[in-house]
Amino acid sequence: MGLTTSACLAIDAGNTKTDVAVVDIGGAVLGRARGGGFRPPAVGVEAAVDGLGTTIAKALAAA
C-alpha cells in the first residue's frame, strides 16, 4: 500500500452499506470506497469480515 504519510482508516459499517475512508493527519480524504452492508448475524462472521476487508482494500488502493 504506497502510503507515505500518517493516515487513519475511518469505517462506517451499517446494515445496508459500508463506507471506508483513508484520512490523513490534516483531515484530507486520501481514498474512499463503498461496500455492501456489514451483517454478521445474517451472513456469518467470516463472510462479513471478508466483505469489510475487500472494501478496506479498495479504499487503500484509492489512496
Side-chain angles (χ1 to χ4, degrees):
M1 314 285 146
L3 295 178
T4 58
T5 185
S6 295
C8 71
L9 199 59
I11 302 171
D12 178 8
N15 278 331
T16 59
K17 68 182 179 321
T18 298
D19 290 311
V20 176
V22 181
V23 183
D24 75 9
I25 197 164
V29 176
L30 304 174
R32 66 179 77 198
R34 177 169 278 176
F38 185 72
R39 301 176 4 181
V43 301
V45 172
E46 187 172 339
V49 171
D50 285 347
L52 183 59
T54 298
T55 307
I56 290 169
K58 289 178 182 177
L60 290 172

